[in-house]
Structure formats: C-alpha cells, structure tokens
Amino acid sequence: MTAPLVPVAHGSRDPRSAATVRGLVERVREQAPGAGVYESFLDLSEPRVTDVLRRLYEQGHRSAVVVPLLLGSAFHARVDLPALVAEVQADCPGFDVRVSDVLGVDPVLEEVALDRLAGAGLGGPGSGLVVSAVGSSNTGANAAVADLAARWEARLGIPVTEAFASAAQPDVPAAVERLRARGVERIAVASWFLAPGLLPDRVAALAREADRGVYLAAPLGTEPRVAAAVLRRYEAAHRHVPA
C-alpha cells in the first residue's frame, strides 16, 4: 500500500489561512490522482496532524509521509512536529511515519514569489524591494531569508532587504528605513508566506504606514508549482519507507 501523504501547515486563527492550505492540498490531489492526500495542522486549525495520523493507523495504514508546509526550518519543524509524530508512534505500534524536508527556500517557490511581483514595476531607478517573512528565534531560518534577499538583489539589480513580521529584526519599518537610506523612493513588498493571515496583514499594515503607495505581493498560495514542490518532498521521503 502506498504511504498516504499528510501535508501539515502551522494553522491560524484567520480562516483564510486554512482555506488556502486546503486549496493547495486540492492542487496536490489533482497532480497525484488516486493518491491518499490528507491536510492537517499543527495548531489553531482542524484537523490536527495527530488526529489525521491516528485515523490513518486505525484504517489499516502502517506508514505515512508528513510534508511540513513550512518555508523555514525553525522551531515548528525541528521541535513541535517531531514531538507530535513521536507521540503518535508511541500510541500506534508498527506505524512508520516519515517527515520530509520543509518546503524551505526552494528555487521553484522563489520563482512563484517573484512572479507575484509582476505588476510592481521593479527595475527602474529609485525602486526597491522588501522580502517579508514570518521571523524566528532560529538564526538559521532568518539567515535563509536574508540570503534570499541578497540573491534577489543581485538578480534584479535593485536594493533588496529582508523584513520579519515577528521575533526577528529588521521589522518592516526598519527595512523601509534601510531602503530609504539607499535612495529608494518606490517600494514593493514580496511575500515569503504560504497563505494570507494575521502576520501577512501585519506586514501590509506596517508597509502602508511607511509608504501609502507600496506594492504588496500576494502569498504563494495555491499555485500549481507549490503543489508540485509538496509532491517532490513526499517522493524524496517516500523512497525510504519500507514496502
């Protein structure tokens, strides 16, 4: 039996976030017809990943692959999710649950995020870009976003800086100040978020305070290339699941 695919998102009090995750998972199903694909969440939204895994075990599955729908490898990926999987495996003898790599800073996802900026008019004199992300206490996760901003600056030929919605600096106002100091007059904000929600809204509000004409790009969302990335993570982890 092929191991079910269980995409797991963080979860949010904002219903738009869970709706977007469900839409993305539907795109995954479309790209993998006949496969068992079951959305889940770590917290704040239903169904919880532990409930989904236990239900699969009760249905007779003896393996599953969990794919974290996370754009950084920080506390949720390194601590929360492994603890929840271990809890399920302790209660479900013989259940082999593999956890794939996070989506992370994938080149294909970078292209999706850049495509979201198509209407921003970047490239002209005086333009600059803020790459907005969630932020973390994990310095490696924040550094990955800073590296992303540096690559985009080299590629686009304009000033680019990162900004974090929480837990890290620079925040949006500080990022805008950085760009202003470099002569930027027209600012666009790229979204390194999977779905709309409270943190992307915070980024948007702060950006508008700094520049009423700011261009705000949409999150990655349900784009088919994001779904394909989810399947690639699944396939890489599934190769190690015993037959």
Side-chain angles (χ1 to χ4, degrees):
M1 182 182 293
T2 301
L5 163 56
V6 183
V8 57
H10 179 270
S12 172
R13 293 182 178 85
D14 188 323
R16 295 173 299 164
S17 178
T20 300
V21 169
R22 293 189 178 97
L24 173 60
V25 172
E26 188 57 37
R27 300 291 85 74
V28 174
R29 292 191 184 104
E30 291 170 358
Q31 294 184 25
V37 185
Y38 306 88
E39 71 265 21
S40 68
F41 300 89
L42 291 172
D43 196 9
L44 301 174
S45 302
E46 298 290 343
R48 302 293 177 86
V49 65
T50 48
D51 294 335
V52 171
L53 290 172
R54 287 191 173 96
R55 184 166 63 249
L56 290 172
Y57 181 78
E58 291 166 359
Q59 292 171 350
H61 293 278
R62 289 300 175 262
S63 63
V65 175
V66 175
V67 177
L69 302 180
L70 302 171
L71 299 180
S73 182
F75 189 85
H76 297 306
R78 295 173 181 267
V79 179
D80 281 349
L81 183 55
L84 293 172
V85 168
E87 174 189 316
V88 170
Q89 289 181 304
D91 294 338
C92 301
F95 194 25
D96 184 25
V97 181
R98 301 298 170 98
V99 180
S100 80
D101 288 340
V102 299
L103 293 179
V105 183
D106 183 294
V108 172
L109 302 187
E110 289 190 44
E111 293 304 317
V112 175
L114 284 168
D115 287 349
R116 295 283 191 265
L117 292 161
L122 296 174
S127 63
L129 178 64
V130 174
V131 181
S132 64
V134 60
S136 171
S137 58
N138 183 286
T139 56
N142 298 330
V145 179
D147 290 344
L148 172 65
R151 285 197 302 277
W152 286 10
E153 176 161 328
R155 176 172 174 174
L156 299 173
I158 61 172
V160 180
T161 188
E162 70 278 12
F164 300 104
S166 65
Q169 289 292 325
D171 58 12
V172 172
V176 171
E177 285 296 320
R178 282 185 180 184
L179 293 179
R180 295 292 192 215
R182 298 177 64 184
V184 169
E185 298 174 354
R186 298 188 315 281
I187 293 173
V189 178
S191 180
W192 196 243
F193 290 92
L194 186 66
L198 301 178
L199 290 181
D201 282 356
R202 179 187 301 173
V203 167
L206 289 170
R208 289 192 183 102
E209 286 180 10
D211 184 345
R212 293 183 62 183
V214 66
Y215 183 95
L216 297 166
L220 302 180
T222 62
E223 223 273 0
R225 286 173 288 176
V226 182
V230 174
L231 283 172
R232 287 196 301 274
R233 298 296 184 277
Y234 167 77
E235 290 161 359
H238 187 261
R239 286 196 292 267
H240 304 289
V241 175

